[in-house]
Amino acid sequence: MSHGGGCLCGALRYALSGAPDRAGFCCCADCRKATGSGYIGFLSYPRERVRFSGPTLTYGSPSASGRIALRNSCPVCGSLVFGGDQPNSTNFTIYAGSLDDPSLSQPSLAIFNRDRPAWVGLPPGVARFETIPTG
Ligand SMILES: [Zn+2]
């Protein structure tokens, strides 16, 4: 199974193979600010099952773990598309709203629930973690 997605204008694209390792919502304040929305829907994919094409504009900010989190958007239309360091990361975070067919994301968890605005609801059955699940 292979599926694709990308930015609003189509300059930055990706192809994914198989199911994600994890799918969920990140409700952290950084994702809220970066998107101008209440959360980011995300899919975790190992490097060997993602192929990117097109230009990226990369922005780094300190994450909760103290590392620099890199977010990649399209330099043409500004859409946020994925998180990770294109040359170096072993895993990428695909932002689920960029899927061509968003029904392919079946979120099972919500992280940083402590930062979730009251006006963002979560579907039933989604496991909630106040920060990041441990273990
Ligand atoms: Zn674009």
Short mmCIF file of all heavy atoms in Angstrom, two decimals, residues 5-7 9-15 50-58 72-77 79 81-82 86-87:
data_model
loop_
_atom_site.label_atom_id
_atom_site.label_comp_id
_atom_site.label_asym_id
_atom_site.label_seq_id
_atom_site.Cartn_x
_atom_site.Cartn_y
_atom_site.Cartn_z
N GLY A 5 0.83 12.61 -0.32
CA GLY A 5 0.31 13.87 0.18
C GLY A 5 1.28 14.97 -0.13
O GLY A 5 2.29 14.76 -0.82
N GLY A 6 0.98 16.14 0.39
CA GLY A 6 1.86 17.26 0.17
C GLY A 6 1.17 18.56 0.52
O GLY A 6 0.13 18.58 1.16
N CYS A 7 1.80 19.63 0.06
CA CYS A 7 1.33 20.97 0.42
C CYS A 7 0.15 21.41 -0.44
O CYS A 7 -0.28 20.72 -1.36
CB CYS A 7 2.50 21.94 0.25
SG CYS A 7 2.97 22.18 -1.47
N CYS A 9 -0.02 23.82 -2.70
CA CYS A 9 0.22 24.14 -4.12
C CYS A 9 0.80 22.97 -4.89
O CYS A 9 0.83 23.00 -6.12
CB CYS A 9 1.14 25.36 -4.23
SG CYS A 9 2.89 25.04 -3.95
N GLY A 10 1.28 21.93 -4.20
CA GLY A 10 1.79 20.76 -4.89
C GLY A 10 3.29 20.75 -5.13
O GLY A 10 3.83 19.80 -5.68
N ALA A 11 4.00 21.80 -4.72
CA ALA A 11 5.45 21.84 -4.94
C ALA A 11 6.19 20.86 -4.05
O ALA A 11 7.20 20.28 -4.45
CB ALA A 11 5.98 23.26 -4.71
N LEU A 12 5.71 20.69 -2.81
CA LEU A 12 6.34 19.76 -1.86
C LEU A 12 5.43 18.55 -1.70
O LEU A 12 4.29 18.68 -1.28
CB LEU A 12 6.56 20.46 -0.51
CG LEU A 12 7.07 19.60 0.66
CD1 LEU A 12 8.37 18.89 0.30
CD2 LEU A 12 7.25 20.45 1.90
N ARG A 13 5.96 17.38 -2.05
CA ARG A 13 5.16 16.16 -2.05
C ARG A 13 5.90 15.06 -1.29
O ARG A 13 7.09 15.11 -1.08
CB ARG A 13 4.93 15.67 -3.49
CG ARG A 13 4.12 16.61 -4.36
CD ARG A 13 2.63 16.58 -4.04
NE ARG A 13 2.10 15.22 -4.18
CZ ARG A 13 0.90 14.85 -3.73
NH1 ARG A 13 0.12 15.72 -3.09
NH2 ARG A 13 0.48 13.61 -3.88
N TYR A 14 5.15 14.02 -0.90
CA TYR A 14 5.76 12.83 -0.33
C TYR A 14 4.95 11.61 -0.72
O TYR A 14 3.77 11.71 -1.08
CB TYR A 14 5.87 12.92 1.20
CG TYR A 14 4.55 13.15 1.90
CD1 TYR A 14 3.66 12.10 2.13
CD2 TYR A 14 4.20 14.41 2.34
CE1 TYR A 14 2.46 12.32 2.77
CE2 TYR A 14 3.00 14.63 2.98
CZ TYR A 14 2.13 13.58 3.19
OH TYR A 14 0.92 13.80 3.81
N ALA A 15 5.61 10.47 -0.65
CA ALA A 15 4.95 9.17 -0.84
C ALA A 15 5.27 8.31 0.38
O ALA A 15 6.41 8.30 0.86
CB ALA A 15 5.46 8.50 -2.11
N VAL A 50 9.36 6.59 3.62
CA VAL A 50 8.91 7.91 3.19
C VAL A 50 9.82 8.41 2.08
O VAL A 50 11.04 8.22 2.14
CB VAL A 50 9.00 8.95 4.33
CG1 VAL A 50 8.34 10.26 3.92
CG2 VAL A 50 8.41 8.44 5.61
N ARG A 51 9.24 8.99 1.07
CA ARG A 51 10.05 9.63 0.03
C ARG A 51 9.52 11.04 -0.20
O ARG A 51 8.32 11.22 -0.45
CB ARG A 51 9.99 8.80 -1.26
CG ARG A 51 11.00 9.19 -2.31
CD ARG A 51 11.19 8.07 -3.35
NE ARG A 51 9.94 7.36 -3.62
CZ ARG A 51 8.98 7.80 -4.42
NH1 ARG A 51 9.10 8.95 -5.05
NH2 ARG A 51 7.88 7.09 -4.62
N PHE A 52 10.39 12.03 -0.04
CA PHE A 52 9.98 13.42 -0.23
C PHE A 52 10.44 13.93 -1.58
O PHE A 52 11.47 13.50 -2.09
CB PHE A 52 10.63 14.31 0.85
CG PHE A 52 10.20 13.99 2.25
CD1 PHE A 52 11.05 13.33 3.12
CD2 PHE A 52 8.94 14.35 2.69
CE1 PHE A 52 10.65 13.03 4.42
CE2 PHE A 52 8.53 14.06 3.99
CZ PHE A 52 9.39 13.40 4.85
N SER A 53 9.70 14.85 -2.15
CA SER A 53 10.18 15.54 -3.35
C SER A 53 9.73 16.99 -3.30
O SER A 53 8.64 17.30 -2.83
CB SER A 53 9.66 14.86 -4.62
OG SER A 53 8.25 14.84 -4.62
N GLY A 54 10.61 17.86 -3.75
CA GLY A 54 10.30 19.27 -3.78
C GLY A 54 11.04 20.04 -2.71
O GLY A 54 11.70 19.47 -1.84
N PRO A 55 10.93 21.36 -2.78
CA PRO A 55 11.68 22.22 -1.87
C PRO A 55 11.04 22.29 -0.50
O PRO A 55 9.84 22.06 -0.35
CB PRO A 55 11.59 23.60 -2.56
CG PRO A 55 10.27 23.56 -3.27
CD PRO A 55 10.08 22.13 -3.71
N THR A 56 11.86 22.60 0.52
CA THR A 56 11.34 22.78 1.86
C THR A 56 11.91 24.05 2.48
O THR A 56 13.05 24.44 2.19
CB THR A 56 11.71 21.61 2.80
OG1 THR A 56 13.12 21.43 2.76
CG2 THR A 56 11.02 20.32 2.41
N LEU A 57 11.11 24.65 3.31
CA LEU A 57 11.57 25.71 4.20
C LEU A 57 11.53 25.10 5.60
O LEU A 57 10.49 24.61 6.03
CB LEU A 57 10.62 26.91 4.13
CG LEU A 57 10.90 28.03 5.14
CD1 LEU A 57 12.21 28.74 4.81
CD2 LEU A 57 9.76 29.03 5.15
N THR A 58 12.70 25.07 6.28
CA THR A 58 12.80 24.38 7.56
C THR A 58 12.95 25.39 8.69
O THR A 58 13.75 26.33 8.59
CB THR A 58 14.00 23.43 7.53
OG1 THR A 58 13.84 22.52 6.44
CG2 THR A 58 14.10 22.62 8.82
N ASN A 72 8.96 21.39 8.58
CA ASN A 72 9.22 21.67 7.17
C ASN A 72 7.93 22.09 6.48
O ASN A 72 6.91 21.39 6.53
CB ASN A 72 9.77 20.41 6.49
CG ASN A 72 11.07 19.96 7.13
OD1 ASN A 72 12.14 20.46 6.79
ND2 ASN A 72 10.98 19.05 8.09
N SER A 73 8.04 23.24 5.81
CA SER A 73 6.88 23.73 5.07
C SER A 73 7.29 23.98 3.63
O SER A 73 8.48 23.94 3.28
CB SER A 73 6.32 24.99 5.71
OG SER A 73 7.32 25.98 5.81
N CYS A 74 6.29 24.22 2.80
CA CYS A 74 6.55 24.52 1.40
C CYS A 74 6.94 25.99 1.28
O CYS A 74 6.21 26.86 1.75
CB CYS A 74 5.30 24.23 0.57
SG CYS A 74 5.44 24.85 -1.12
N PRO A 75 8.08 26.29 0.65
CA PRO A 75 8.50 27.69 0.53
C PRO A 75 7.64 28.48 -0.46
O PRO A 75 7.71 29.71 -0.49
CB PRO A 75 9.95 27.58 0.03
CG PRO A 75 10.05 26.24 -0.61
CD PRO A 75 9.06 25.35 0.09
N VAL A 76 6.84 27.80 -1.25
CA VAL A 76 6.00 28.49 -2.23
C VAL A 76 4.68 28.91 -1.58
O VAL A 76 4.30 30.08 -1.62
CB VAL A 76 5.73 27.59 -3.46
CG1 VAL A 76 4.85 28.31 -4.48
CG2 VAL A 76 7.04 27.15 -4.10
N CYS A 77 3.98 27.95 -0.96
CA CYS A 77 2.63 28.25 -0.45
C CYS A 77 2.56 28.32 1.07
O CYS A 77 1.54 28.73 1.62
CB CYS A 77 1.63 27.22 -0.97
SG CYS A 77 1.84 25.57 -0.29
N SER A 79 2.46 25.93 3.35
CA SER A 79 1.83 24.82 4.09
C SER A 79 2.85 24.06 4.92
O SER A 79 3.93 23.73 4.43
CB SER A 79 1.21 23.81 3.12
OG SER A 79 0.35 24.42 2.21
N VAL A 81 4.13 20.64 6.29
CA VAL A 81 3.95 19.30 5.72
C VAL A 81 4.50 18.19 6.60
O VAL A 81 3.86 17.17 6.79
CB VAL A 81 4.56 19.23 4.30
CG1 VAL A 81 4.47 17.83 3.71
CG2 VAL A 81 3.84 20.23 3.37
N PHE A 82 5.71 18.38 7.15
CA PHE A 82 6.26 17.30 7.97
C PHE A 82 7.29 17.84 8.95
O PHE A 82 7.85 18.92 8.76
CB PHE A 82 6.87 16.19 7.11
CG PHE A 82 8.12 16.56 6.37
CD1 PHE A 82 9.38 16.24 6.88
CD2 PHE A 82 8.06 17.21 5.15
CE1 PHE A 82 10.55 16.57 6.20
CE2 PHE A 82 9.23 17.57 4.46
CZ PHE A 82 10.47 17.24 4.98
N GLN A 86 15.55 16.30 7.24
CA GLN A 86 15.53 15.51 6.01
C GLN A 86 16.80 14.70 5.78
O GLN A 86 16.71 13.52 5.46
CB GLN A 86 15.20 16.40 4.81
CG GLN A 86 14.27 15.70 3.86
CD GLN A 86 13.81 16.59 2.73
OE1 GLN A 86 14.16 17.75 2.66
NE2 GLN A 86 13.05 16.05 1.83
N PRO A 87 18.00 15.28 5.95
CA PRO A 87 19.18 14.42 5.72
C PRO A 87 19.46 13.43 6.83
O PRO A 87 20.12 12.42 6.58
CB PRO A 87 20.33 15.42 5.58
CG PRO A 87 19.84 16.72 6.06
CD PRO A 87 18.34 16.70 6.07
#
